[in-house]
Amino acid sequence: MSRKADSFKTQTIKIDRQQLGDNQFIPAVELLRSGEVVGFPTETVYGLGGLITRPEAIGKIFEAKNRPPDNPLIVHISDFQMLDELVLELPRGAEKLCRKFWPGPLTVLFKKSPLVPEIVTAGLSTVAVRMPSHQVARKLIELAGAPVAAPSANLSGRPSPTTAEHVYHDLKGKIPLIIDGGKSELGVESTVIDLDRDPPVLLRPGGLNYEELQQLIPQLELVERGSKNDDNLPGELIERPTTPGLKYKHYSPKAYLILIEKPMARTAGYLTKIWEKYHQKEKRVGWIHTSGKIELPEEIKQDSRTSVVDLTPAGKLDSREHDSKLVARELFASLRALDNKGSEVIVVEGIGYEKEGLAVMNRLKKAASEII
Ligand code: AMP
Ligand code: MG
């Protein structure tokens, strides 16, 4: 069946993670077992899942998202037993690491077993696996009785979805069901690591902070900061990226996105200059204000063609420049909201690379049309 925009009347069902009953999952489990796909919540972002035991479902995931077929999917499991079936061997240190951080926003690469269809891994010999902490996700996988392959439930290239409404917006008519389990509390995708390299590498920064991983793996290497022309990347990894997803433009709103990266560019005077350039051209400007140290000039805040999203640290006693957790949680939703308001240009005040900042800046650099 082709995933035309009108193939389905997409249903949404709400499931409260605090009151899980098996019956609520019946429609989703039946769809999965019949080789269909389902949108579901995780703590990172919403996923579009299909059972790995039904390869036709995996094809439907790529089709609905319009995802390039050489970008592999992450396989989600609900318990450690499921891991045994998926992998041939555990890399050194993997067991300790997974026992500590699972369930949670960590994805680990393993040598795949023949049970994992090629379409899931895009022909690679490794499979990326994670155990989500969101109770609705784990219950769904448990009741479906098999691992669930799932990328983010957005159209390829768009900001990832952090609510069921975002999934509906992108995939309505193309998928039969979305489970609404509330807002994703982390808001950025999982951290992906490869332990089979020496030293081990962090392939994609994400919901689990680099600093936390480093406590267990001090030699963990950071491959990518997400810059388009990042000279930190070792040559071999630029030529043959080990995470195929690295090479695609990603996370982008419809608007022209300007990322202010340099801290020196973050002064009220400089912000006004950037804003004026587009204001004079009568562009509708969306502004994501993150710095608690800069008061956004009134002319920007008051202008009728400008929409401001305030992601500054809350409360007068909060003296941090940025609340990186808040920015991570709200980033994709803010980009989507500004698109919906018709912003033609979106300016984002970048944040530091510490903690959640690493994943936030990685996403923004991939999404940006211009970096200042
Ligand atoms: P998404 O779920 O949309 O965030 O995409 C999954 C990410 O995991 C993509 O960046 C993939 O390239 C990456 N990934 C999945 N499987 C593998 C694998 N076997 N090796 C390297 N990266 C992978
Ligand atoms: Mg994605």
Side-chain angles (χ1 to χ4, degrees), residues 45 65 67 71 151-154 160 189 204 250-251:
V45 301
K65 280 181 60 87
R67 184 178 176 101
N71 193 2
S152 50
N154 52 301
S160 298
E189 299 83 349
R204 177 179 74 178
H250 252 108
Y251 320 114

Side-chain angles (χ1 to χ4, degrees), residues 26 45 51 60 70 81 108 128 131 134 183 187 196 279 282 286 358:
I26 291 172
V45 301
L51 292 186
K60 292 173 186 174
D70 62 347
Q81 227 177 341
V108 181
M131 190 192 292
H134 199 295
K183 191 164 149 183
D196 244 348
H279 178 68
E282 305 202 339
L358 190 66

